[in-house]
Amino acid sequence: MLLVYEDMPLSEVVEENVELIPVLERFGITLGLSDRTAGQICAMKGIDAGFFLSVVNNFLNPDYFPEKQLKTSGIGVIADYLLRTEKYYMEYQLPNIEAHLGRLINGCPSSQALGLLRILLSSFRESLSRAVEYDTREWLPYCASLSAGGKSNVADAPRYDDSAYVEGINILHEMKGVMVRHLSGDYDRNLCYAVIFSISSMEKDISMHHRIRDRILYPLVASLTDKRG
């Protein structure tokens, strides 16, 4: 199991795991990493190194879940990261998949599998938009208010709902299955691979997002709400 530590050059990690790039961007870290270590880059950016490494290692290793380390980061840090993550999904990752898939479909309009992918992607956008809208409007602002010392009780708390995320993860998995099992015809192979890699990366990303949201943030908020109620 690969684990990233503060004294490791971050560039070496990214070179071997380029799917980390979207995660880094949500922390404000862009390419041009030089030979700086993860700890040095976090210090330059004013990032909590412990939280950063917890997120990165959780992304690289689905079976690795640093629950204790994440909980010590605090509700405010976690909620802020999740908000930035959801904004990145809507502004960059989802439009990227839509653009590539649109070009793929236009190149092979008679493919039934590609037609199904268009329908599934529309369903995915709807579920993701619903999840992000709820988080942005209700859930994460409520979390941030608790972090800032606001008072609340169980009656004030918005209902926790993860159904849209679970639905979105399942749709992305189904899209991969359609491409692997049923795609045929004269389509652009390179474009096809770009689409399936993008879908796979987003599925992994949202799964990590959901684990942090469901297994860390929600229990922390529930515990704090109970204590203040």
Side-chain angles (χ1 to χ4, degrees):
M1 177 187 293
L2 169 67
L3 291 178
V4 183
Y5 298 97
E6 284 193 49
D7 60 353
M8 294 175 63
L10 191 56
S11 57
E12 293 181 5
V13 178
V14 176
E15 286 169 9
E16 297 298 321
N17 304 274
V18 294
E19 68 272 20
L20 268 178
I21 292 174
V23 178
L24 299 186
E25 290 194 347
R26 297 196 291 261
F27 281 97
I29 300 174
T30 56
L31 299 182
L33 300 172
S34 186
D35 293 320
R36 299 183 184 92
T37 66
Q40 289 172 332
I41 290 175
C42 285
M44 289 173 57
K45 296 287 185 177
I47 300 168
D48 182 317
F51 179 68
F52 172 76
L53 293 173
S54 294
V55 170
V56 166
N57 285 321
N58 182 35
F59 186 86
L60 292 176
N61 305 284
D63 295 328
Y64 174 83
F65 195 71
E67 187 168 336
K68 182 179 294 185
Q69 294 94 317
L70 286 171
K71 283 184 175 178
T72 60
S73 300
I75 291 175
V77 171
I78 297 171
D80 179 67
Y81 171 75
L82 295 183
L83 275 171
R84 284 185 278 117
T85 296
E86 292 174 350
K87 182 179 180 181
Y88 193 88
Y89 289 158
M90 299 304 297
E91 294 185 357
Y92 297 101
Q93 283 181 279
L94 179 57
N96 179 61
I97 294 175
E98 290 174 328
H100 282 83
L101 182 58
R103 289 173 56 202
L104 184 62
I105 292 171
N106 291 338
C108 190
S110 62
S111 171
Q112 291 184 343
L114 288 177
L116 177 56
L117 285 174
R118 187 197 296 274
I119 294 171
L120 288 171
L121 185 58
S122 177
S123 296
F124 173 71
R125 169 174 273 281
E126 191 280 328
S127 65
L128 182 63
S129 298
R130 180 160 33 93
V132 170
E133 195 276 335
Y134 176 75
D135 272 7
T136 302
R137 176 173 49 86
E138 293 193 42
W139 175 247
L140 293 178
Y142 172 76
C143 296
S145 72
L146 290 179
S147 175
K151 294 184 178 181
S152 182
N153 55 46
V154 175
D156 296 328
R159 181 177 62 87
Y160 178 73
D161 185 2
D162 68 344
S163 59
Y165 279 112
V166 174
E167 179 182 304
I169 293 167
N170 290 336
I171 292 172
L172 289 174
H173 188 74
E174 186 177 356
M175 290 178 70
K176 287 195 308 181
V178 169
M179 296 188 75
V180 171
R181 295 170 183 266
H182 305 297
L183 192 58
S184 61
D186 185 20
Y187 57 86
D188 186 321
R189 268 40 177 187
N190 288 330
L191 196 52
C192 173
Y193 301 149
V195 171
I196 197 168
F197 291 150
S198 297
I199 290 173
S200 181
S201 176
M202 193 160 195
E203 180 190 13
K204 180 177 180 179
D205 201 320
I206 292 181
S207 296
M208 179 193 73
H209 179 82
H210 178 254
R211 286 199 302 274
I212 294 174
R213 186 179 181 275
D214 188 61
R215 290 175 53 185
I216 299 298
L217 185 59
Y218 172 62
L220 281 174
V221 168
S223 172
L224 193 55
T225 298
D226 290 342
K227 290 177 182 178
R228 291 183 180 172

